[in-house]
């Protein structure tokens, strides 16, 4: 246990409220989409504040931001913390941002304490944890794990048809140098991300800190159902090939499988984005495009659900005479957290007289990909009513401060291992 100053809830609040002013939908939640002028301005603000804290700031070829507090033995593999500042549409002000400001505050506390730490500490803002702009999540950490090439950035397009490659080049980043970002095992000693829980387990248990044991991983598909566009009044019910009712049947099948067909209690299945063509009240939809998001903490359980889903989709295709195309976006692997980091977080909680809740993350995080090359851990702080990805998202600043105290103790302990 180290004697560190307590984290300042007011400072955390100031950072979070200022980051939240970089928002494209102030009338309805928070929207800060990757590499838009709003997000770029928010990045600049965070970089300035990192420098105020005393961190040496740099960015890599895909825009991951690093704020470094150098250790006494800088040649040793560093300890990482951090999260993201991009959001989904009409979101809240804590998802990702809480982990970034907690990392900055933990670094500030450690620096103010004057206690030596052998390993350097890096506070990271990962590029694009959300899939909002390019349909693929965790672009920065996915690249670090070696899953993103320059060719991939040319294939990812946003809703306006612009590629990630073009956007990176326009902002002065270097998509040709992505390979230099790739990390190998041993490059990072430990990584600990603080995040809001985005679920209600902490609140229901009356606890203020969660220790994450494992992180569920997403498998995402874009589905296109092609039927026959026709007149709503002139086409008899028997003569229709209605793409929307076929899509609806797939969605209900997915919900049923999510509820019943799995071995793990952490399975989720969601249709979140739907596009109906021509979207006219008196025309039978000829085409429907929609998203499928399946999560699980067990890969075997997720794979078994996907097989059942594909069989069910084939049956719907035959029965309704429509064509159904499934385009896989990503099929990511769940991960368990590192036992040394989990016990270090637990010791920090004990030293701070906090009784933590061991938990599983239903949401994915950049730690899912960092965990492919480094030992990871996560610290959760409560989400009011378990709500996230919504303007109703709320976490008490005092809870973020308590979580930051645990984070600072944990980072300093790991940095001296
Ligand atoms: O969707 C997720 O799990 C993350 O919050 N982006
Ligand atoms: Mn999110
Ligand atoms: Mn997040």
């Amino acid at each position: 246990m180290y004697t560190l100053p307590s984290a300042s809830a007011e400072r955390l609040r100031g950072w979070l409220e200022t980051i939240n002013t970089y928002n494209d939908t102030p009338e309805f939640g928070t929207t800060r989409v990757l590499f838009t002028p709003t997000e770029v301005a928010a990045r600049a603000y965070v970089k300035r504040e990192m420098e105020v804290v005393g961190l040496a700031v740099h960015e890599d070829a895909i825009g991951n931001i690093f704020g470094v507090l150098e250790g006494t033995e800088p040649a040793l593999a560093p300890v990482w913390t951090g999260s993201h500042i991009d959001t989904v549409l009409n979101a809240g002000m804590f998802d990702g941002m809480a982990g970034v400001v907690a990392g900055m505050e933990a670094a500030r506390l450690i620096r103010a304490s004057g206690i030596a730490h052998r390993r350097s500490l890096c506070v990271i803002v990962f590029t694009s944890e959300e899939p909002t702009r390019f349909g693929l999540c965790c672009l920065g950490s996915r690249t670090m794990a070696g899953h993103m090439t320059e060719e991939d950035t040319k294939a990812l397009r946003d809703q306006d048809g612009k590629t990630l490659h073009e956007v990176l080049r326009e902002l002065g980043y270097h998509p040709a140098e992505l390979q230099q970002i790739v990390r190998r095992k041993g490059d990072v000693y430990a990584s600990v991300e603080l995040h809001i829980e985005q679920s209600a387990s902490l609140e229901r248990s009356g606890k203020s800190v969660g220790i994450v044991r494992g992180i569920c991983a997403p498998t995402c598909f874009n589905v296109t159902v092609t039927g026959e566009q026709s007149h709503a009044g002139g086409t008899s019910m028997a003569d229709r090939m209605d793409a929307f009712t076929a899509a609806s049947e797939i969605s209900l099948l997915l919900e049923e499988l999510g509820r019943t067909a799995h071995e793990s209690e952490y399975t989720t299945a969601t249709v979140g984005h739907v596009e109906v063509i021509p979207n006219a009240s008196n025309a039978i939809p000829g085409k429907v495009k929609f998203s499928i998001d399946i999560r699980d903490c067990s890969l075997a359980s997720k794979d078994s659900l996907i097989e059942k889903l594909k069989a069910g989709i084939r049956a719907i295709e035959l029965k309704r005479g429509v064509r159904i195309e499934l385009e896989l976006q990503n099929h990511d692997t769940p991960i368990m957290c590192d036992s040394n980091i989990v016990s270090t977080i637990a010791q920090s909680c004990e030293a701070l007289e906090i009784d933590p809740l061991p938990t599983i993350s239903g949401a994915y995080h950049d730690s899912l990909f960092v965990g492919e090359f480094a030992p990871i851990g996560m610290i959760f702080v409560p989400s009011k009513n378990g709500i996230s990805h919504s303007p109703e998202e709320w976490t008490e600043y005092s809870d973020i401060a308590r979580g930051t105290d645990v984070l600072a103790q944990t980072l300093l302990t790991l940095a001296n291992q």
Side-chain angles (χ1 to χ4, degrees):
M1 164 81 176
Y2 294 96
T3 303
L4 287 169
S6 298
S8 160
E10 276 316 299
R11 183 185 304 276
L12 292 162
R13 174 179 182 166
W15 278 331
L16 286 164
E17 289 182 344
T18 307
I19 293 172
N20 203 43
T21 62
Y22 300 96
N23 174 7
D24 283 331
T25 58
E27 72 288 349
F28 180 36
T30 299
T31 300
R32 191 167 43 252
V33 176
L34 173 70
F35 291 148
T36 56
T38 302
E39 200 246 3
V40 170
R43 284 167 159 267
Y45 167 71
V46 169
K47 286 186 277 187
R48 285 196 302 275
E49 289 303 303
M50 282 183 166
E51 284 167 349
V52 169
V53 165
L55 307 180
V57 179
H58 70 276
E59 290 183 78
D60 68 15
I62 200 167
N64 292 307
I65 300 168
F66 295 78
V68 182
L69 191 63
E70 193 166 85
T72 54
E73 299 174 51
L76 290 175
V79 173
W80 281 9
T81 187
S83 194
H84 61 97
I85 63 167
D86 66 304
T87 73
V88 297
L89 303 177
N90 306 113
M93 63 180 281
F94 298 96
D95 170 6
M97 287 64 83
V100 170
V101 300
M104 289 159 65
E105 177 67 350
R108 188 185 71 83
L109 298 174
I110 291 168
R111 186 165 182 263
S113 74
I115 298 171
H117 49 95
R118 298 172 61 217
R119 301 172 183 279
S120 296
L121 291 173
C122 295
V123 183
I124 300 172
V125 177
F126 291 96
T127 288
S128 192
E129 190 271 355
E130 299 294 0
T132 315
R133 181 163 183 180
F134 291 100
L136 184 64
C137 67
C138 301
L139 297 180
S141 51
R142 198 182 285 269
T143 303
M144 290 171 170
H147 302 312
M148 179 78 73
T149 64
E150 183 179 13
E151 285 316 299
D152 293 329
T153 68
K154 292 175 180 171
L156 286 172
R157 288 185 185 279
D158 65 13
Q159 290 86 339
D160 301 326
K162 212 163 188 182
T163 66
L164 174 59
H165 192 272
E166 288 164 344
V167 172
L168 286 168
R169 295 285 302 264
E170 279 170 14
L171 289 170
Y173 295 114
H174 310 287
E177 296 171 13
L178 291 192
Q179 285 315 300
Q180 292 172 24
I181 298 178
V182 177
R183 294 306 197 283
R184 308 255 177 274
K185 286 192 188 300
D187 287 352
V188 177
Y189 177 73
S191 174
V192 186
E193 177 177 4
L194 181 142
H195 204 285
I196 57 170
E197 183 190 14
Q198 299 178 301
S199 188
S201 308
L202 279 173
E203 192 175 58
R204 287 185 188 137
S205 67
K207 297 190 176 183
S208 62
V209 170
I211 302 181
V212 176
R213 295 184 298 111
I215 306 173
C216 291
T219 295
C220 301
F221 295 97
N222 285 336
V223 185
T224 303
V225 180
T226 305
E228 190 167 70
Q229 185 173 329
S230 184
H231 196 289
T235 313
S236 74
M237 294 310 284
D239 292 343
R240 297 172 177 224
M241 286 196 286
D242 184 332
F244 180 73
T245 48
S248 306
E249 192 171 351
I250 295 168
S251 177
L252 291 172
L253 165 66
L254 180 71
E255 181 187 50
E256 183 55 24
L257 290 174
R259 283 189 171 147
T260 58
H262 50 76
E263 294 91 57
S264 98
E265 61 181 289
Y266 301 103
T267 307
T268 59
T270 312
V271 172
H273 172 87
V274 181
E275 196 183 330
V276 179
I277 298 158
N279 208 22
S281 62
N282 57 354
I284 300 166
K287 195 180 284 280
V288 171
K289 297 180 178 181
F290 63 94
S291 64
I292 285 182
D293 176 313
I294 300 166
R295 313 276 180 99
D296 209 321
C297 210
S298 148
L299 190 56
S301 170
K302 187 164 68 162
D303 285 342
S304 134
L305 187 152
I306 290 166
E307 283 320 303
K308 293 185 181 95
L309 175 68
K310 286 180 176 176
I313 285 176
R314 293 288 78 84
I316 292 168
E317 193 173 39
L318 285 174
K319 181 177 75 172
R320 289 177 172 271
V322 296
R323 193 172 78 248
I324 303 170
E325 296 159 285
L326 273 175
E327 183 198 355
L328 180 66
Q329 292 297 299
N330 52 292
H331 180 52
D332 297 324
T333 304
I335 193 167
M336 297 313 283
C337 294
D338 173 77
S339 55
N340 170 47
I341 299 177
V342 168
S343 58
T344 305
I345 298 172
Q347 287 154 23
S348 302
C349 287
E350 190 179 349
L352 289 161
E353 295 176 359
I354 294 171
D355 176 19
L357 177 75
T359 188
I360 291 285
S361 177
Y364 58 74
H365 304 282
D366 288 300
S367 294
L368 185 68
F369 292 93
V370 174
E372 291 192 24
F373 56 82
I376 58 147
M378 288 193 76
I379 295 167
F380 272 177
V381 291
S383 290
K384 187 164 179 275
N385 301 325
I387 290 175
S388 179
H389 284 188
S390 157
E392 303 310 310
E393 183 180 277
W394 181 260
T395 296
E396 295 299 334
Y397 296 111
S398 55
D399 282 337
I400 300 174
R402 278 314 263 151
T404 302
D405 290 334
V406 174
L407 179 66
Q409 280 293 333
T410 302
L411 294 175
L412 189 52
T413 304
L414 293 168
N416 281 321
Q417 282 184 355

